[in-house]
Amino acid sequence: MQTPASAPVPPALRRRVPRVADLAPLMQFKQPEFGAAARLQRANTIWDLRDLAKRRTPAAPFDYTDGAAEAEISLHRARQAFLDIEFRPGILRNVESVSTVTPILGRDSALPFGIAPTGFTRMMQSEGEYAGSRAAEAADIPYTLSTMGTASIEDVAQAAPDGRNWFQLYLWTDRDRSMELIARAAAAGNDTLMVTVDTAVAGARLRDVRNGMTIPPALTLKTVADASYRPAWWFNFLTHEPLSFASLSRYSGTVADLINSMFDPTLTFEDLDWLRSVWKGNLVVKGIQTLEDARKAVDHGADGIVLSNHGGRQLDRAPVPLHLLPRVAAELKGKTAIILDTGIMSGGDIVAAVALGADFTLIGRAYLYGLMAGGRKGVDRTIEILGTQTARTMQLLGVNRIADLTPDHVRLLGEAPAAADLPNAATTR
């Protein structure tokens, strides 16, 4: 119904000259903030941290982190799987208080995620593993040092003496050297050994090939030009101790050559039996990509499994861990710790994984984006962003505890809806 033309105009809609007193509350200019701390605080998502990282890091180390194998299909599919999640919230629940505390392998973690093992980490930013382990210690979450990490087992233990430090092992052809690493990890207080089993040979990481990626980075004309607008990275890189590794002497060559020269393509499940006999702590197998192999890993003594395709960095078109998760959880939940990585870029992703049956998750690239964006403070910001997103997603779903998350809270788009969501045929019109 139209308002009659003769109807009076409400006072709020009458034109008038603005008064100074009315303008004063609107004229509040925020003082601009500059510097690394301000940049990190303005980052509200992991993607924001990635943008910062790309601006501050030379192409070769950034692409080593950001890239994947061949056409990078595995990585894109893993991230798309999380985008294809539909949450199913419960309403009218009291969610004033939420706990993100998560039990994993015999101890509590303050959050349902830990830091995954990453190689060559001080190449991304000079603080490297020291930033990651200390940030994890402060947040009370696990930190995993890689065999290919650029800080020793002992140095990480000293840097984060009160942290929950895990060690990731690549089994070498030289079993004596593997045994030496295992003994060092135990002596340094690591309670969990995570053996990675998806690197029989190096994946074809084409960004590294195109960038001429070497360890350490070579000062070619291309890298010098790249450094000209990223001087802080090069200053930090050149004024700190040269890259060295957690488990091997200094090496010069390509990443693929290093992997192919070290790792054993003859590994079998019997090697897990040997590891189980020599390692007395938690034994976790990382790189599980089928239900059959998940079963076998548990049968051979694994206390935990990581559903992972190595961040898409090994076999392209590999299984998507999130898609595999429900089948593994249906059979093995409660029999072994089920951990998931690959593709996680938000707290919502973490909540979705836990709801579908994961006991825990690991972040790799997300942590490295924060590291490259701002060193230790950038890693702190990564953990803060993911923790905040996790808690908020739980509240919006209507749950108070991690243990309250169930498959009823999520649906993978493209799947048939649950029976409870279907209309009653007798009442449908």
Side-chain angles (χ1 to χ4, degrees), residues 188-209:
N190 291 261
D191 66 63
T192 296
L193 184 71
M194 183 181 295
V195 58
T196 297
V197 295
D198 57 5
T199 51
V201 296
R205 302 170 192 177
L206 299 184
R207 291 204 218 181
D208 295 346
V209 174

Side-chain angles (χ1 to χ4, degrees), residues 80-100:
Q80 187 62 47
F82 284 108
L83 295 178
D84 288 342
I85 283 289
E86 177 185 85
F87 284 119
R88 304 180 66 252
I91 60 170
L92 298 176
R93 273 73 164 179
N94 182 351
V95 289
E96 181 180 10
S97 63
V98 167
S99 173
T100 58

Side-chain angles (χ1 to χ4, degrees), residues 247-258:
S247 55
L248 57 145
S249 59
R250 286 185 176 83
Y251 174 87
S252 180
T254 68
V255 176
D257 287 345
L258 176 58

Side-chain angles (χ1 to χ4, degrees), residues 48-59 62-63 66 207 229-230 369 372-373:
D48 291 342
L49 290 175
R50 179 187 178 276
D51 291 341
L52 278 175
K54 188 171 185 179
R55 292 199 294 269
R56 296 174 61 84
T57 312
F62 177 82
D63 280 349
D66 195 60
R207 291 204 218 181
Y229 55 98
R230 296 178 176 94
Y369 292 143
M372 291 186 287

Side-chain angles (χ1 to χ4, degrees), residues 12-295:
L13 300 182
R14 295 173 187 165
R15 298 281 184 187
R16 63 185 179 84
V17 176
R19 296 184 298 235
V20 174
D22 294 333
L23 292 174
L26 305 177
M27 305 295 286
Q28 296 180 8
F29 296 101
K30 185 178 180 181
Q31 184 176 353
E33 297 178 337
F34 303 99
R39 287 194 297 270
L40 290 172
Q41 201 57 41
R42 287 194 293 269
N44 296 304
T45 68
I46 301 303
W47 291 106
D48 291 342
L49 290 175
R50 179 187 178 276
D51 291 341
L52 278 175
K54 188 171 185 179
R55 292 199 294 269
R56 296 174 61 84
T57 312
F62 177 82
D63 280 349
Y64 175 79
T65 299
D66 195 60
E70 300 187 39
E72 305 189 354
I73 295 168
S74 291
L75 175 59
H76 292 312
R77 286 178 177 172
R79 286 181 172 162
Q80 187 62 47
F82 284 108
L83 295 178
D84 288 342
I85 283 289
E86 177 185 85
F87 284 119
R88 304 180 66 252
I91 60 170
L92 298 176
R93 273 73 164 179
N94 182 351
V95 289
E96 181 180 10
S97 63
V98 167
S99 173
T100 58
V101 172
T102 307
I104 183 66
L105 294 168
R107 288 175 57 181
D108 283 345
S109 170
L111 294 160
F113 64 88
I115 292 181
T118 61
F120 317 124
T121 313
R122 284 182 54 233
M123 182 178 64
M124 319 313 171
Q125 202 272 353
S126 57
E127 295 178 69
E129 288 85 2
Y130 302 102
S133 59
R134 285 171 169 162
E137 177 186 51
D140 193 20
I141 64 175
Y143 172 81
T144 316
L145 174 66
S146 170
T147 297
M148 309 304 293
T150 43
S152 73
I153 299 169
E154 294 77 13
D155 285 349
V156 167
Q158 186 175 9
D162 297 322
R164 187 177 186 190
N165 295 320
W166 297 351
F167 183 68
Q168 176 269 335
L169 177 72
Y170 287 113
L171 271 174
W172 300 352
T173 52
D174 185 343
R175 286 293 188 273
D176 289 339
R177 296 196 67 184
S178 295
M179 190 64 223
E180 177 190 347
L181 285 177
I182 292 168
R184 287 171 58 192
N190 291 261
D191 66 63
T192 296
L193 184 71
M194 183 181 295
V195 58
T196 297
V197 295
D198 57 5
T199 51
V201 296
R205 302 170 192 177
L206 299 184
R207 291 204 218 181
D208 295 346
V209 174
R210 293 169 186 137
N211 287 327
M213 175 69 172
T214 61
I215 304 297
L219 284 169
T220 64
L221 288 176
K222 180 179 179 180
T223 56
V224 169
D226 195 37
S228 63
Y229 55 98
R230 296 178 176 94
W233 186 94
W234 280 102
F235 177 78
N236 285 331
F237 180 77
L238 296 173
T239 57
H240 287 88
E241 179 183 326
L243 294 185
S244 57
F245 298 88
S247 55
L248 57 145
S249 59
R250 286 185 176 83
Y251 174 87
S252 180
T254 68
V255 176
D257 287 345
L258 176 58
I259 292 174
N260 287 332
S261 68
M262 286 179 54
F263 303 145
D264 187 354
T266 69
L267 293 180
T268 67
F269 278 94
E270 281 64 41
D271 292 288
L272 288 184
D273 297 332
W274 173 76
L275 274 177
R276 181 70 283 175
S277 70
V278 299
W279 175 258
K280 304 309 178 187
N282 298 313
L283 179 62
V284 174
V285 180
K286 182 177 184 292
I288 299 295
Q289 299 175 64
T290 68
L291 176 57
E292 180 185 5
D293 283 347
R295 292 188 193 113

Side-chain angles (χ1 to χ4, degrees), residues 338-351:
I338 301 173
I339 304 171
L340 182 136
D341 75 11
T342 304
I344 293 172
M345 291 290 284
S346 73
D349 296 343
I350 292 166
V351 169

